[in-house]
Amino acid sequence: MNVFIIGIGLIGGSFALDLKTVKKQVEIYGVDENEEHLEKALDLGLIDKKAKFEDIKNADLVYLAIPVDASLEVLPKILDLVSDKCVVIDAGSTKEHLCKKVENHPKRRNYLSAHPISGTEFSGPTAAIHGLFKNKTNIICEVEKTAFKLQEIALEIFQAIGMRIRYMDPASHDRHIAYVSHLSHISSFMLGKTVLEKEKNERDIFDLAGSGFESTVRLAKSSPAMWTPIFSQNKKNVMETLDEYISNLKHFRKLMEEDNFEEVFNEMEKTNHIREVLNGINKNEELKLQ
Amino acid sequence: MNVFIIGIGLIGGSFALDLKTVKKQVEIYGVDENEEHLEKALDLGLIDKKAKFEDIKNADLVYLAIPVDASLEVLPKILDLVSDKCVVIDAGSTKEHLCKKVENHPKRRNYLSAHPISGTEFSGPTAAIHGLFKNKTNIICEVEKTAFKLQEIALEIFQAIGMRIRYMDPASHDRHIAYVSHLSHISSFMLGKTVLEKEKNERDIFDLAGSGFESTVRLAKSSPAMWTPIFSQNKKNVMETLDEYISNLKHFRKLMEEDNFEEVFNEMEKTNHIREVLNGINKNEELKLQ
């Protein structure tokens, strides 16, 4: 099986690593604009060979893992090139624009629109790790538009690398993910910004910050090149989540200003319910491990 | 050495566990309003005996680890009871009010005002763990007001359980900690609230939430009974951090609204500097481990 990874970073590289462990006789080709990343990916054994974009015509599977603005340009060109038996999967964090972009492409049936809910705050080929997708959710959009046989090939791989599958329409995906992923990133970036601005003397952050701060600010290490186009493509939904978040923060501030600490207590107690929700996530992951 | 732990929860219980491993011939007495917690602490071996408040007169060391509003009431009563050779240490997350409260107490020299930057989102005696304080910072306020011999006793213990010591005045402590701890908790609670409100159908959170969301929302599991009095006592500083945080979020939203994604990128790139700050924290912890 000839697999082409377009964008050999955290996601593309981790997919390559997992694919090698679950598939016999797989040849992995890397395509990346960044020549250094390609060389690094070769060194690390993420890919078997470097390839040119036009070689995609020989692919059995193409995995597209580049920033979502670039995907809008690149996916149609990939579909132009691939053979009828090739399945093209993307891993982008926004789905509506991309699905719209290729809706009338003659090879739309070769494309499977997916979003693996997995990653770390790191990026590039050195960030690639084995097992990144294990017990993680893979959201598939517009599955009915992909050729049945190609769906099968993709699903067999997703299952082999340990992913749970959920089907969703692109608009719902983008709306929901704005809440549970995109907003978290902005809240984290702005928290980092607020503290950095204040604590000009970094020695103070360094000395007083505990694991709580580290946990809430972790996502502020994420790649701006990846996240800027996500916020741009999902602008409407993300702004809605931001409005609600800001309004909740202002309400909390107002309660404090009014010395209404009984209600401050209640706000937090109600939100403690997140424990059960998160426990649910972990319990399910444990169940899947058995 | 007779040690009295007042409030045998996450912090008090973990302190008891560490103390037993570093001190020979230590007898640990637990005092807690919650009889169930006391029984649990006995079962778990956190304490050797249950005790009454008035027994504190026999203490060599008292460790006060209760919500900060209760500390305001309880600390003067402890000082009323203790002998001259007893050191009383507290672990509260706000320091200005408490130091003010006892500034004229005749036994002020028996008190050492401290704040260990350590903890988890869990609470109660079952949350107590070995090594919670290892490589963590312990901020000590107004050290000059504590009797020299009693400082020595406390510092020897802090060193034995692996803590780094930093000295600070109470007002600076409360102002700095508002940024690196208190604000993180509010940002996390309000993030949890925003998502819970939107995703009435929890199945959706459960399916789409990844480790990023889990990390940013972790602190929203924290105890409202502990955090409400902290926000109340540190109201002025916390409201200032909230104002700056809200203003940064609004600015980010405005950039998005204006389609100024170049500046959105810059905002995130500048904040990526948090990587080096956090690496500094970890590097220092590694150094201390050597």
Side-chain angles (χ1 to χ4, degrees):
Chain A
M1 186 183 218
N2 288 331
V3 175
F4 281 68
I5 310 279
I6 320 295
I8 192 78
L10 164 69
I11 299 295
S14 299
F15 187 76
L17 283 173
D18 278 0
L19 206 56
K20 282 193 178 187
T21 58
V22 300
K23 274 268 174 199
K24 309 277 175 216
Q25 293 180 304
V26 62
E27 194 87 37
I28 300 192
Y29 296 85
V31 178
D32 204 303
E33 275 193 349
N34 185 325
E35 187 61 27
E36 265 180 57
H37 278 193
L38 266 185
E39 286 295 336
K40 193 78 199 165
L42 259 181
D43 284 354
L44 295 166
L46 305 178
I47 58 173
D48 299 309
K49 286 176 190 158
K50 297 194 282 180
K52 294 201 174 109
F53 194 80
E54 55 266 32
D55 300 333
I56 282 174
K57 63 181 183 294
N58 303 315
D60 299 304
L61 188 151
V62 176
Y63 196 72
L64 180 64
I66 60 178
V68 294
D69 52 343
S71 286
L72 285 184
E73 302 308 312
V74 174
L75 179 60
K77 290 177 189 163
I78 294 171
L79 291 176
D80 289 343
L81 282 170
V82 292
S83 76
D84 279 351
K85 67 179 178 60
C86 176
V87 57
V88 180
I89 306 165
D90 89 305
S93 298
T94 51
K95 300 267 66 103
E96 209 173 354
H97 281 247
L98 193 59
C99 284
K100 185 86 189 154
K101 182 82 179 186
V102 295
E103 67 179 340
N104 297 317
H105 194 287
K107 295 238 184 78
R108 173 64 185 87
R109 61 192 293 280
N110 290 72
Y111 168 55
L112 185 81
S113 181
H115 177 201
I117 313 293
S118 48
T120 71
E121 67 275 30
F122 305 112
S123 49
T126 53
I129 49 175
H130 271 287
L132 180 68
F133 305 104
K134 190 153 182 72
N135 300 315
K136 300 294 162 51
T137 299
N138 199 10
I139 302 169
I140 297 181
C141 294
E142 299 187 333
V143 66
E144 69 286 354
K145 295 194 177 176
T146 309
F148 187 67
K149 287 203 169 174
L150 301 180
Q151 284 178 35
E152 272 187 331
I153 293 169
L155 288 174
E156 192 205 317
I157 291 169
F158 294 151
Q159 194 167 29
I161 65 177
M163 302 201 85
R164 299 191 299 142
I165 304 298
R166 290 291 177 271
Y167 299 98
M168 217 167 200
D169 67 277
S172 300
H173 167 276
D174 286 9
R175 204 169 59 244
H176 287 294
I177 209 75
Y179 280 89
V180 292
S181 166
H182 303 176
L183 177 59
S184 293
H185 282 79
I186 298 177
S187 82
S188 198
F189 268 109
M190 291 303 101
L191 183 67
K193 181 185 176 186
T194 305
V195 178
L196 282 174
E197 275 176 350
K198 194 65 185 183
E199 307 281 315
K200 288 285 150 65
N201 175 358
E202 284 174 23
R203 193 71 200 159
D204 289 331
I205 295 183
F206 171 92
D207 278 342
L208 304 193
S211 60
F213 177 67
E214 209 168 336
S215 165
T216 41
V217 90
R218 180 171 70 87
L219 298 179
K221 301 180 196 172
S222 304
S223 156
M226 174 181 166
W227 282 96
T228 306
I230 291 173
F231 295 144
S232 166
Q233 283 190 22
N234 207 15
K235 176 178 164 177
K236 191 176 142 284
N237 290 314
V238 170
M239 282 181 59
E240 189 187 302
T241 68
L242 258 178
D243 284 340
E244 286 164 26
Y245 184 54
I246 291 168
S247 148
N248 282 329
L249 285 163
K250 280 179 165 173
H251 179 66
F252 194 92
R253 188 203 178 283
K254 184 164 162 283
L255 293 175
M256 282 186 68
E257 191 170 31
E258 292 165 351
D259 287 318
N260 188 351
F261 287 98
E262 197 181 319
E263 208 39 55
V264 163
F265 181 96
N266 292 339
E267 285 274 302
M268 291 192 279
E269 198 181 38
K270 273 185 279 178
T271 306
N272 273 167
H273 174 51
I274 203 85
R275 283 181 201 152
E276 285 84 57
V277 177
L278 295 174
N279 282 346
I281 296 174
N282 294 329
K283 205 168 282 169
N284 183 278
E285 290 201 355
E286 280 161 27
L287 283 172
K288 297 298 275 192
L289 280 165
Q290 283 166 6
Chain B
M1 185 183 218
N2 288 331
V3 175
F4 280 68
I5 310 279
I6 321 294
I8 191 79
L10 164 68
I11 299 296
S14 299
F15 186 76
L17 283 173
D18 278 2
L19 207 54
K20 282 194 177 187
T21 56
V22 301
K23 274 269 173 200
K24 309 279 174 215
Q25 292 179 303
V26 63
E27 194 86 38
I28 298 192
Y29 297 86
V31 178
D32 203 304
E33 276 194 348
N34 186 324
E35 188 61 28
E36 263 180 58
H37 278 193
L38 266 185
E39 286 295 337
K40 194 79 200 166
L42 259 181
D43 285 354
L44 294 167
L46 305 178
I47 58 173
D48 299 310
K49 286 176 189 159
K50 296 194 281 179
K52 292 200 174 112
F53 193 79
E54 56 267 31
D55 300 333
I56 282 173
K57 63 180 184 291
N58 304 315
D60 299 303
L61 187 152
V62 177
Y63 197 73
L64 179 65
I66 61 179
V68 294
D69 53 342
S71 286
L72 285 183
E73 302 307 313
V74 174
L75 179 60
K77 291 179 187 161
I78 294 172
L79 291 176
D80 290 343
L81 282 171
V82 292
S83 75
D84 279 351
K85 67 178 177 61
C86 176
V87 57
V88 181
I89 306 165
D90 89 303
S93 299
T94 50
K95 300 265 69 98
E96 209 173 354
H97 281 246
L98 193 58
C99 285
K100 184 87 189 149
K101 182 83 179 186
V102 295
E103 65 179 341
N104 297 316
H105 195 285
K107 295 239 185 76
R108 173 64 185 85
R109 61 192 294 280
N110 290 72
Y111 167 55
L112 185 81
S113 181
H115 177 202
I117 313 293
S118 47
T120 70
E121 67 274 31
F122 305 112
S123 49
T126 53
I129 49 175
H130 271 287
L132 180 68
F133 305 103
K134 192 155 182 68
N135 300 316
K136 301 292 160 55
T137 299
N138 199 10
I139 301 169
I140 296 182
C141 295
E142 299 187 335
V143 68
E144 70 287 353
K145 297 195 178 177
T146 308
F148 188 67
K149 287 205 168 174
L150 300 180
Q151 285 178 34
E152 273 188 328
I153 294 170
L155 288 174
E156 193 203 317
I157 292 170
F158 295 150
Q159 194 168 27
I161 65 178
M163 301 201 85
R164 298 192 300 143
I165 304 298
R166 290 292 177 271
Y167 299 98
M168 216 167 201
D169 67 277
S172 300
H173 167 276
D174 286 10
R175 204 170 58 245
H176 287 293
I177 209 74
Y179 280 90
V180 292
S181 166
H182 303 175
L183 178 59
S184 293
H185 282 80
I186 299 176
S187 82
S188 198
F189 268 110
M190 291 303 101
L191 183 67
K193 181 185 176 186
T194 305
V195 178
L196 282 174
E197 275 176 350
K198 194 64 185 186
E199 306 283 316
K200 289 285 150 67
N201 176 357
E202 284 172 23
R203 192 72 199 160
D204 289 331
I205 295 181
F206 170 93
D207 278 342
L208 304 192
S211 59
F213 177 67
E214 209 167 336
S215 166
T216 41
V217 90
R218 179 172 71 87
L219 299 179
K221 300 179 195 172
S222 305
S223 155
M226 174 183 167
W227 282 95
T228 305
I230 292 174
F231 296 143
S232 166
Q233 284 190 20
N234 207 15
K235 175 177 164 178
K236 192 180 139 283
N237 290 314
V238 171
M239 282 181 59
E240 189 186 302
T241 68
L242 258 178
D243 284 340
E244 286 163 25
Y245 184 53
I246 291 168
S247 151
N248 282 329
L249 285 162
K250 279 180 166 172
H251 178 66
F252 194 93
R253 187 202 178 283
K254 184 167 161 280
L255 293 175
M256 283 187 67
E257 191 170 30
E258 291 165 352
D259 285 318
N260 188 351
F261 286 99
E262 197 181 320
E263 207 40 55
V264 163
F265 180 95
N266 292 339
E267 285 274 301
M268 291 193 279
E269 199 181 37
K270 273 184 280 178
T271 306
N272 272 168
H273 173 51
I274 202 83
R275 281 182 202 152
E276 285 84 57
V277 177
L278 295 175
N279 282 346
I281 295 175
N282 294 329
K283 205 168 283 172
N284 183 279
E285 291 202 353
E286 280 162 28
L287 283 173
K288 297 296 278 187
L289 281 166
Q290 285 167 6

